[in-house]
C-alpha cells in the first residue's frame, strides 16, 4: 500500500482483506452461455452481471441496517432518559412523603394549641394575664404572650412553606411522569422501526442462495478493504502516534475482551452489545461513565483531530453519528457492527469517519 511498516493489528486486518479480494471467485458467477435460439432473428435479453445485482442488494441492506442503527440510538436515548426520570420520580416521592409527615406534625401542633385555648375557656392569653391582680404574673404573662405569638407566627409560616413544598414536589413528579410517558411512546416507536428495518433486511438476505450470500459477504469485505486502503494511503497512520492513557488501556482491554460476542440492538452486555453499548460499557469499566448513545457521545465528549487520536478514543461514523467504534491502535478499531454480526476488529477507515471523541479528558 506504500505506507511503510504497519502494526500487528493493521497487518492482520489488511492481510485478511487482501486474501479475500485475491481469492474472490470472480468467474464463479459469470452468466451461463446463452442457449442457441431456434430463430436467428431473436436474441435473449442480456443478463445483468451477478455482482451488479448483489451490489444493489448490499446497498439496500446497508440502508436498512443504517436506519435500524438510527432508530436504535433513539431507543437507547429514550431508555437512558427513562432511567433518569424514574430515579428523579423516586426521589420526589421520598420528598413528598417527608413533607407530608412534616405537614401532619405541624397540623398536630396547631391542633394542640387550639385545644389548649379551648381548655382555658376560649380566652386568649393576653386577656387572661390582663385580668390578673399579680404584677409579677402580669409581667411573666406578657413575656409568654410574646413568645406564643412568635411561635404561632412561626408555626403558621412553617405550615405554609411545607404546604408549598409539598405542592411543588407533587407538580414536579407529575411533570416527570408526563416526560416518562412521552419517552415510553418514543421508545416504543423506535423499537417498532428497528424491528421493521431488521426484518426487511433479513427477508432480503433470505432470498439469496448460499453462494450469493457468500459472495455478498465478500463484496462487503472488499468494500471495507478498499475504504481502509484509501484511508491508509493518505499517510494518516504516520501521523497517529498517541499513546493510551491508563484509563484508555482499561477501556481497550474491556472492548477487546468482547470479541466474538453477538450484536444485539439496545444491548449493553455482558453477552451481547450494540455499537454504543460496547463503547459506553468499556469506558464505564475503566471508571469513566460516558453517554449511552453514539450521537450523545459525539455531542458531549471532547472532539480531537484524527491525527491526534490514541487507543481508547472513539471514532464516530456517518454524517448522522449513527455508529461508533473504539480505536485500539495501528489503524484498527473494535466495534459491534450490526445485526447478524459479532464484535470484531476492523480498519478504522473502513467506514466514513465523522470525527473522533475522547472520553478521558
Amino acid at each position: 500500500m506504500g505506507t511503510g511498516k504497519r502494526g500487528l493489528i493493521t497487518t492482520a486486518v489488511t492481510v485478511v482483506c487482501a486474501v479475500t479480494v485475491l481469492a474472490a471467485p470472480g468467474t464463479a458467477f459469470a452468466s451461463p452461455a446463452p442457449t442457441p435460439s431456434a430463430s436467428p432473428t431473436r436474441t435473449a435479453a442480456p443478463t445483468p452481471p451477478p455482482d451488479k445485482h448483489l451490489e444493489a442488494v448490499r446497498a439496500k441492506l446497508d440502508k436498512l441496517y443504517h436506519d435500524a442503527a438510527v432508530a436504535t440510538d433513539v431507543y437507547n436515548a429514550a431508555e437512558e432518559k427513562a432511567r433518569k426520570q424514574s430515579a428523579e420520580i423516586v426521589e420526589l416521592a421520598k420528598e413528598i412523603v417527608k413533607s407530608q409527615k412534616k405537614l401532619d406534625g405541624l397540623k398536630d401542633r396547631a391542633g394542640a394549641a387550639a385545644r389548649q385555648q379551648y381548655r382555658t375557656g376560649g380566652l386568649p392569653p393576653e386577656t387572661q394575664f390582663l385580668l390578673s391582680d399579680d404584677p409579677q404574673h402580669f409581667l411573666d404573662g406578657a413575656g409568654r404572650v410574646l413568645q406564643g405569638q412568635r411561635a404561632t407566627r412561626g408555626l403558621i409560616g412553617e405550615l405554609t412553606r411545607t404546604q408549598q413544598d409539598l405542592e411543588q414536589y407533587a407538580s414536579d413528579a407529575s411533570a416527570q411522569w408526563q416526560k416518562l410517558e412521552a419517552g415510553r411512546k418514543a421508545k416504543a416507536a423506535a423499537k417498532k422501526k428497528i424491528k421493521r428495518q431488521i426484518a426487511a433486511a433479513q427477508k432480503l438476505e433470505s432470498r439469496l442462495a448460499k453462494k450469493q450470500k457468500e459472495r455478498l459477504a465478500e463484496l462487503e469485505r472488499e468494500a471495507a478493504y478498499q475504504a481502509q486502503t484509501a484511508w491508509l494511503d493518505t499517510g494518516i497512520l504516520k501521523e497517529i502516534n498517541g499513546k493510551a492513557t491508563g484509563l484508555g488501556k482499561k477501556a481497550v482491554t474491556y472492548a477487546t475482551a468482547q470479541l466474538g460476542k453477538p450484536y444485539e440492538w439496545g444491548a449493553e452486555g455482558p453477552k451481547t452489545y450494540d455499537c454504543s453499548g460496547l463503547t459506553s460499557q468499556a469506558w464505564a469499566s475503566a471508571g469513566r461513565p460516558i453517554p449511552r448513545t453514539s450521537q450523545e457521545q459525539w455531542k458531549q465528549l471532547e472532539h480531537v483531530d484524527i491525527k491526534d487520536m490514541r487507543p481508547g478514543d472513539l471514532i464516530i461514523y456517518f454524517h448522522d453519528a449513527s455508529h461508533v467504534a473504539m480505536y485500539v491502535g495501528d489503524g484498527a478499531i473494535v466495534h459491534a457492527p450490526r445485526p447478524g454480526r459479532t464484535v470484531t476488529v476492523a480498519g478504522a477507515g473502513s467506514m466514513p469517519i465523522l470525527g473522533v471523541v475522547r472520553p478521558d479528558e
Side-chain angles (χ1 to χ4, degrees):
M1 291 181 288
T3 55
K5 184 178 180 182
R6 307 282 187 225
L8 181 58
I9 296 179
T10 305
T11 303
V13 173
T14 305
V15 169
V16 169
C17 293
V19 169
T20 299
V21 174
L22 292 173
T27 60
F29 295 88
S31 300
T35 303
S37 173
S39 172
T41 59
R42 297 177 63 187
T43 58
T47 303
D51 277 5
K52 185 175 181 181
H53 166 68
L54 290 175
E55 281 290 359
V57 170
R58 187 175 71 83
K60 190 168 184 179
L61 285 172
D62 283 349
K63 185 179 187 310
L64 288 169
Y65 283 125
H66 172 267
D67 291 347
V70 173
T72 298
D73 240 25
V74 174
Y75 177 91
N76 289 337
E79 178 73 13
E80 186 75 0
K81 286 181 181 177
R83 279 199 288 260
K84 292 179 180 178
Q85 287 160 357
S86 295
E88 288 175 9
I89 288 171
V90 169
E91 291 304 313
L92 286 168
K94 290 178 181 177
E95 293 298 330
I96 288 172
V97 170
K98 284 169 57 179
S99 295
Q100 188 62 61
K101 286 182 178 179
K102 183 178 180 182
L103 188 62
D104 291 343
L106 292 170
K107 286 181 178 179
D108 287 344
R109 286 170 55 192
R115 288 191 295 274
Q116 175 64 29
Q117 184 177 359
Y118 177 78
R119 283 194 295 271
T120 58
L123 292 176
E126 57 268 29
T127 302
Q128 293 180 40
F129 85 77
L130 284 172
L131 295 175
S132 174
D133 293 330
D134 184 345
Q136 185 60 46
H137 182 231
F138 178 90
L139 293 175
D140 292 342
R144 286 195 298 272
V145 167
L146 290 174
Q147 290 175 356
Q149 288 175 339
R150 285 195 293 268
T152 300
R153 285 196 298 269
L155 178 60
I156 292 172
E158 196 170 0
L159 270 166
T160 301
R161 288 191 299 273
T162 303
Q163 183 67 47
Q164 290 172 343
D165 288 345
L166 187 59
E167 291 172 357
Q168 186 61 54
Y169 290 140
S171 175
D172 290 346
S174 176
Q176 288 299 331
W177 273 114
Q178 290 175 1
K179 290 179 182 178
L180 193 62
E181 178 62 14
R184 185 193 66 77
K185 291 178 180 178
K187 190 168 70 170
K191 182 177 181 179
K192 186 176 180 180
K193 183 174 182 179
I194 293 165
K195 289 189 171 183
R196 186 172 65 246
Q197 300 300 109
I198 293 176
Q202 291 173 338
K203 184 177 180 180
L204 182 59
E205 288 182 293
S206 70
R207 293 172 181 167
L208 300 175
K210 182 180 178 181
K211 286 187 176 181
Q212 288 178 310
K213 290 180 181 178
E214 291 171 353
R215 181 58 182 155
L216 179 63
E218 289 173 0
L219 290 173
E220 291 176 351
R221 289 192 291 268
E222 288 172 18
Y225 169 73
Q226 290 168 6
Q228 174 73 352
T229 299
W231 184 68
L232 291 175
D233 282 347
T234 64
I236 186 65
L237 205 55
K238 295 178 181 177
E239 301 182 54
I240 302 174
N241 299 306
K243 304 298 182 183
T245 61
L247 292 180
K249 289 178 181 177
K250 290 181 181 179
V252 169
T253 297
Y254 181 97
T256 53
Q258 312 314 310
L259 290 171
K261 294 185 178 181
Y263 176 102
E264 182 183 4
W265 64 267
E268 301 176 81
K271 295 182 179 180
T272 59
Y273 294 88
D274 63 20
C275 67
S276 56
L278 177 64
T279 55
S280 60
Q281 287 302 303
W283 273 101
S285 75
R288 183 63 60 87
I290 63 174
R292 169 64 177 87
T293 70
S294 58
Q295 293 178 347
E296 288 304 310
Q297 289 170 6
W298 175 244
K299 288 179 185 176
Q300 297 185 35
L301 301 179
E302 180 194 0
H303 289 208
V304 297
D305 196 282
I306 291 177
K307 64 180 177 60
D308 296 323
M309 70 179 174
R310 64 196 186 200
D313 286 347
L314 306 181
I315 303 180
I316 309 296
Y317 292 95
F318 304 108
H319 70 281
D320 51 6
S322 56
H323 190 68
V324 60
M326 178 174 290
Y327 184 65
V328 294
D330 296 321
I333 56 170
V334 168
H335 71 141
R338 65 166 175 81
R341 299 288 187 267
T342 61
V343 176
T344 188
V345 174
S350 58
M351 297 170 284
I353 295 175
L354 177 63
V356 179
V357 293
R358 179 163 292 163
D360 57 340
E361 276 191 3

